[in-house]
Amino acid sequence: MSIPVNNNNNLPPPPQPPLTQNSSFSLMSLLNRERLNEDGSNYLDWIRTLRFTLRYDNEWYVLDEDVPILGENSNPEEVTAYNKHYDESTKVACLMLATMASGLQKNFENWGTFDINQQLEDMFQEQARQEPFEIVKSLMVCKQQEGASVCAHVQKMKSYIDRLGNLGVELPKELTIDMVLNSLSSSYSQFIMNFNMNNLDNTLMELHGMLKAAEASMKKSNNSNPTAPVLAIDHGSIKRKRVSHPKGKGNGKIGQSDQGHKRKVQVEIAHSTDPSEFVCF
């Protein structure tokens, strides 16, 4: 009696296992897009992608914290924390090795996550140091052009500051505020003076909102009065005179000066039709 053989070529492929929120497969799919080269030329991009993906499962801390040492008299809480740290460190080490070139895999095959990360930083320190330098250089020369959007300018500077924070370079809040204020165009000189005189203690995002409101107010003012008034004064139309006031009189009169000469005080600006005689202020 012959047994029928199933033809698997005509069967649909087996369904893929569902990707859960903590699935290692989902992390692998992201990390495989940026495999670490053996020469470390893409180390900064690789470590940034790794930190982003580990942050998704709150496991990024194992890169910077070694597995704690468990003592003989450890309490249950310490044992639980140790087991959690050890398990997550082992999983992240496997992810790191799986996204490296084969030569690097052989070097770190039996290493823990913390040790691998420290060794890679030492090996590719030059690349790791270059990126913060370039960001700081761009941040220092960032200036707002006259008439440019203040919102876009502050967001650009904030992106530089956030990138430094991701690389472990934390700038003090007061320094970031001063850098943003110093980078503004001359149109915001009055805003800067008021801000400093009132000793305002604001975050960068609060400063961004204040600048946005100031920009809207400046635009509204310019639209309502597009041409500034010009004050024109005729040469020789104003003469200065000291006027003697009789005692007991409330109002001064035009009279004789101390030298005994009579002069007429010009109380209004005289009109002139010759533009060459105008002085503009």
Side-chain angles (χ1 to χ4, degrees), residues 157-221:
M157 295 197 69
K158 186 177 183 300
S159 67
Y160 290 139
I161 296 171
D162 291 341
R163 286 174 61 187
L164 288 174
N166 293 334
L167 295 173
V169 181
E170 295 291 343
L171 299 179
K173 184 187 72 172
E174 293 79 6
L175 178 59
T176 59
I177 295 296
D178 291 341
M179 294 177 69
V180 171
L181 292 177
N182 185 62
S183 68
L184 298 176
S185 64
S186 59
S187 300
Y188 293 87
S189 57
Q190 185 66 38
F191 175 90
I192 297 173
M193 183 178 65
N194 294 336
F195 188 93
N196 292 328
M197 288 180 61
N198 290 279
N199 294 322
L200 299 179
D201 184 18
N202 298 93
T203 64
L204 185 57
M205 293 308 298
E206 290 172 343
L207 175 62
H208 177 254
M210 296 170 64
L211 287 170
K212 185 177 180 180
E215 181 183 45
S217 178
M218 291 167 59
K219 289 182 178 180
K220 183 178 179 180
S221 177

Side-chain angles (χ1 to χ4, degrees), residues 24-39:
S24 298
F25 180 81
S26 62
L27 294 177
M28 283 292 300
S29 63
L30 295 174
L31 291 173
N32 280 329
R33 301 176 184 176
E34 191 68 52
R35 298 180 65 87
L36 179 60
N37 298 331
E38 196 163 348
D39 59 357

Side-chain angles (χ1 to χ4, degrees), residues 35 97-110:
R35 298 180 65 87
L97 292 171
T99 56
M100 292 181 182
S102 58
L104 293 174
Q105 289 177 347
K106 296 176 182 178
N107 294 335
F108 303 120
E109 186 174 357
N110 298 318

Side-chain angles (χ1 to χ4, degrees), residues 73 131 137 249:
N73 300 323
E131 185 174 12
K137 184 170 68 173
K249 301 294 183 178

Side-chain angles (χ1 to χ4, degrees), residues 206-271:
E206 290 172 343
L207 175 62
H208 177 254
M210 296 170 64
L211 287 170
K212 185 177 180 180
E215 181 183 45
S217 178
M218 291 167 59
K219 289 182 178 180
K220 183 178 179 180
S221 177
N222 292 335
N223 292 334
S224 61
N225 189 14
T227 57
V230 178
L231 178 62
I233 300 179
D234 186 7
H235 279 298
S237 62
I238 296 181
K239 298 181 180 180
R240 300 182 181 272
K241 177 174 179 57
R242 291 189 302 170
V243 181
S244 60
H245 300 278
K247 294 183 179 180
K249 301 294 183 178
N251 297 325
K253 296 182 180 179
I254 301 175
Q256 189 173 2
S257 64
D258 294 341
Q259 291 79 10
H261 298 287
K262 292 184 178 180
R263 291 184 180 180
K264 185 178 180 181
V265 178
Q266 187 73 27
V267 296
E268 294 182 353
I269 298 176
H271 296 282

